[in-house]
Amino acid sequence: MSISRARCRTVGAALATAAFTVLSCGGEKGLGREGCAGACSSASDFLSSADVQRILAQGSVEAQARGARATLAVVDRVGNVLGSFRMNGADPSFRISSGRAVRGGLEDARFASGDALAAIAKAVTGAFLSSEGNAFSTRTASQIIQENFNPREFSQPSGPLYGVQFSQLPCSDIMRSGSEGMTGPRPSPLGLSADPGGLPLYKEGRLVGGVGVISDGLYALDPDITDIDEDPDELIAVGAARGFMAPGDRRGDRITADGRTFRFVDSEDVKSGAATIPALAAIPGATVAVDGFFSGIIRSGIAFRTPESGFRFDTGTFADLKGVVLVDERNQNRFPPRAGSDGLLTANEVISILRNALMVANRARAQIRRPLGSAAEVTATVVDTAGEVLGLVRTPDAPVFGTDVAAQKARTAGFFSNPQAAAELQTVPRAVYPATGDSVLPGSSVTLMRQFLNDPTALSNGLAYSARAIGNLHRPFFPDGVAGRPPGPFSPPYSNWSPFHVGLQLDLVINAVSGSASGVGCAFLPKIRNGIQIFPGAVPIYRGSQLVGAIGVSGDGVDQDDMIAFLGLANAGVALKTGIANAPRERRADLIEPFGLGTRLRYVQCPQAPFNDSTEHNVCADF
């Protein structure tokens, strides 16, 4: 895959592109294999068992230098836990807290012997949010899931990935839960983490995994990015990652969104020296077996895009577009394109929607990737009205987190656009908050929604909702980010809100997350079995006025995700002429103006000058 799909128009542009190409797969100083960006990984790129022991030993030595006792975990790029180590004297318990004195959700939940779960979640986050084109950490995650972007930058919209923390869950049908050694993508025991102390790991510019650390007994976040923290978990992780750190030009602090730079780490001021690191066996402590995640025996990782990883290049339908598919232990595509279980979409229509989404992605100018001019890297998923996955395909270097999130987004758009949404939400069992025992009926959100919109038919009238529109309704302020305004109907009021207590999204899955109940997937409803997602990147699919499915896209900037889903569907409809299309304009949720608030919902938002090979603007306006 070339560094840019742009057609160079000038000698200067060509020289600039060439310069970026030389740096595109660099090691820690930005130098490395020439001529690739996002497709460098090969079957030789993985963490060996010796690498894993070295990383755990380096982190433990840094903890000793700080007078701390830590638990550390290392995962490969698809989430297999390769090692988990608890130093003698480390506290095996931890508590979840945002520091906002909030009651409800996961706030103040305590895990008596869950330190390894926290470390694994941090390691998975570092690996899953990153790629060859971007390196994000759990500190980055903290920045992009809060009520304002940036946190405490008041009267600004919420973080671009608001809600992503409740993805990658073990109850998801997209993730591969179960015995150690299965193909990926593997789940995170606690979803994605916003607690500093999780970093991606690289070898010569190629992402190979992540490391996570907990040493303070607290699973939290950074509510204020205006200061520079000396966070012990993060500094221990930096020490652990020595020799495997992300290339400098790929880190979050070299990438912008909405004019803001992401955070990667606040400090790299480690106390331990690099000269002499003892063998892991010489450090007081022991590996920690974690049921369903790690046997207790340190092992090597799996190279990305090999069948053993669960991801490989397609050899059929999407091969000419360099599409990547998910495979099982027999190397069979887990989600090959097929007709809808409800009979409303044909297999050929699913293929066309996904192919057109890939073609849009391959032209799109990426938001969160380096070098500049790279194409977007995403996962695209089509579901039917029953929430069944009809097809899933990825670009080669798409971040792994988008695999689960694309399905969450598609199911969210399809579910809330379905006239049965209200009735089905009212069947979900009570959500029980583990710290207090308080409970809430997720179905009560139907009443709140109808009051908020002054519409007694809301969620049963077949109005078309995108993931962006549902996100508008799921923020602690409406309009989004405007302090002092009321919450959306799916969110608690800001006085009792936190990233660990967001409202309906968590209420739907909290019983599964806490292990207090079993049911169909995460949300106890087949149509949204891996939970819902509340940031942009999905639209429902219609044939005339009939809902027939939905497409979800995830992996790049949220406006890019929106555009790839919206235009991929529109272009497929134009090409096929079978009637599939985006929702009729008169049915879309952006016609809604919540009662007395003077602001409409949003449906999709496509980026300005979105393509590398064109000067087109307003590309979504005609559909």
Side-chain angles (χ1 to χ4, degrees):
M1 180 171 146
S2 63
I3 191 164
S4 171
R5 295 176 176 84
R7 294 191 293 270
C8 296
R9 294 175 176 81
T10 67
V11 173
L15 290 173
T17 299
F20 276 127
T21 300
V22 171
L23 299 177
S24 64
C25 279
E28 292 188 54
K29 293 185 179 180
L31 302 175
R33 192 179 303 176
E34 183 176 349
C36 65
C40 295
S41 296
S42 70
S44 63
D45 294 320
F46 61 89
L47 289 167
S48 68
S49 59
D51 291 334
V52 176
Q53 292 187 61
R54 174 185 165 190
I55 292 163
L56 294 173
Q58 289 180 160
S60 297
V61 169
E62 178 63 25
Q64 289 174 333
R66 295 184 168 278
R69 297 294 179 264
T71 299
L72 307 92
V74 175
V75 302
D76 66 14
R77 185 168 177 176
V78 298
N80 291 299
V81 180
L82 310 181
S84 177
F85 184 78
R86 179 188 294 146
M87 297 173 64
N88 284 353
D91 185 353
S93 68
F94 72 92
R95 177 174 65 91
I96 295 176
S97 176
S98 66
R100 298 198 72 241
V102 167
R103 180 184 177 95
L106 291 171
E107 284 284 354
D108 212 37
R110 297 173 184 270
F111 293 75
S113 57
D115 54 340
L117 300 179
I120 291 169
K122 292 187 183 190
V124 167
T125 302
F128 278 17
L129 288 181
S130 302
S131 71
E132 287 178 18
N134 74 291
F136 287 173
S137 65
T138 51
R139 184 175 291 280
T140 315
S142 177
Q143 181 183 1
I144 59 181
I145 67 167
Q146 297 191 51
E147 71 274 27
N148 300 114
F149 181 61
N150 287 315
R152 295 195 179 182
E153 193 172 319
F154 302 116
S155 295
Q156 293 295 326
S158 53
L161 266 63
Y162 182 100
V164 76
Q165 63 269 36
F166 301 117
S167 65
Q168 329 302 318
L169 298 171
C171 48
S172 168
D173 60 320
I174 307 299
M175 312 307 288
R176 302 303 307 276
S177 296
S179 60
E180 183 183 55
M182 293 175 64
T183 57
R186 302 283 287 171
S188 166
L190 299 171
L192 294 182
S193 174
D195 188 13
L199 297 175
L201 299 171
Y202 287 76
K203 279 188 168 183
E204 296 184 355
R206 279 91 79 187
L207 176 66
V208 290
V211 60
V213 175
I214 186 166
S215 66
D216 57 6
L218 192 63
Y219 191 79
L221 46 77
D222 180 8
D224 183 3
I225 70 167
T226 63
D227 58 4
I228 302 298
D229 296 330
E230 290 284 324
D231 187 282
D233 291 356
E234 183 171 77
L235 286 161
I236 294 167
V238 169
R242 186 186 292 120
F244 301 89
M245 282 291 281
D249 64 341
R250 295 297 193 268
R251 299 184 190 183
D253 54 15
R254 295 292 301 276
I255 296 172
T256 62
D258 197 25
R260 294 163 174 82
T261 303
F262 294 115
R263 300 295 281 270
F264 186 67
V265 295
D266 268 11
S267 174
E268 296 185 58
D269 187 18
V270 297
K271 294 182 179 295
S272 56
T276 303
I277 300 294
L280 185 64
I283 296 174
T287 58
V288 183
V290 183
D291 188 34
F293 291 91
F294 179 57
S295 68
I297 299 174
I298 291 173
R299 63 191 183 100
S300 298
I302 297 173
F304 189 54
R305 290 198 307 264
T306 60
E308 294 77 17
S309 74
F311 296 82
R312 66 159 168 79
F313 282 105
D314 190 26
T315 57
T317 305
F318 307 111
D320 61 317
L321 297 173
K322 298 190 182 300
V324 171
V325 296
L326 268 63
V327 294
D328 60 19
E329 290 79 5
R330 299 170 299 153
N331 196 22
Q332 299 299 304
N333 189 347
R334 290 175 56 200
F335 302 108
R338 62 187 177 97
S341 64
D342 50 15
L344 299 176
L345 279 171
T346 68
N348 191 51
E349 288 171 330
V350 173
I351 290 171
S352 183
I353 293 168
L354 291 174
R355 283 185 60 84
N356 275 279
L358 281 182
M359 287 188 280
V360 175
N362 289 343
R363 296 181 60 211
R365 180 179 291 108
Q367 173 68 60
I368 62 165
R369 297 180 64 81
R370 298 275 294 179
L372 300 177
S374 296
E377 298 273 359
V378 299
T379 300
T381 305
V382 171
V383 301
D384 63 16
T385 61
E388 295 289 335
V389 175
L390 304 185
L392 184 154
V393 66
R394 297 164 42 84
T395 57
D397 195 38
V400 169
F401 86 93
T403 315
D404 188 52
V405 169
Q408 286 184 316
K409 289 182 181 181
R411 285 168 168 163
T412 298
F415 177 79
F416 285 97
S417 300
N418 197 309
Q420 300 172 10
E424 295 188 8
L425 279 172
Q426 290 168 330
T427 69
V428 178
R430 282 186 173 274
V432 180
Y433 301 147
T436 63
D438 296 343
S439 66
V440 63
L441 279 171
S444 62
S445 62
V446 174
T447 300
L448 295 172
M449 173 81 153
R450 290 173 171 176
Q451 292 171 346
F452 188 78
L453 300 183
N454 194 30
D455 180 0
T457 70
L459 299 182
S460 60
N461 56 15
L463 198 71
Y465 288 95
S466 63
R468 184 180 290 271
I470 293 300
N472 289 167
L473 296 163
H474 210 307
R475 299 300 192 264
F477 303 112
F478 187 92
D480 185 16
V482 181
R485 301 302 293 269
F490 299 148
S491 173
Y494 183 62
S495 60
N496 200 41
W497 171 93
S498 86
F500 301 120
H501 182 36
V502 298
L504 178 63
Q505 181 196 32
L506 176 58
D507 292 344
L508 286 168
V509 303
I510 194 168
N511 292 352
V513 171
S514 66
S516 62
S518 60
V520 180
C522 299
F524 309 101
L525 290 174
K527 291 178 182 175
I528 47 174
R529 67 194 66 182
N530 64 332
I532 67 172
Q533 199 46 258
I534 52 176
F535 63 95
V539 292
I541 304 169
Y542 280 77
R543 194 187 310 278
S545 61
Q546 183 179 22
L547 176 72
V548 296
I551 175 174
V553 172
S554 191
D556 201 78
V558 292
D559 290 355
Q560 283 72 15
D561 291 351
D562 251 1
M563 179 184 71
I564 294 165
F566 187 79
L567 278 189
L569 170 57
N571 292 347
V574 170
L576 289 175
K577 296 180 174 58
T578 60
I580 59 165
N582 281 289
R585 291 178 184 271
E586 66 274 10
R587 189 180 288 266
R588 297 178 191 173
D590 54 4
L591 295 176
I592 296 177
E593 182 180 306
F595 184 62
L597 295 178
T599 302
R600 292 187 179 187
L601 301 182
R602 302 297 297 274
Y603 195 69
V604 295
Q605 180 169 309
C606 297
Q608 297 180 349
F611 298 126
N612 282 318
D613 62 356
S614 167
T615 59
E616 293 176 82
H617 292 272
N618 299 323
V619 296
C620 298
D622 294 336
F623 301 101

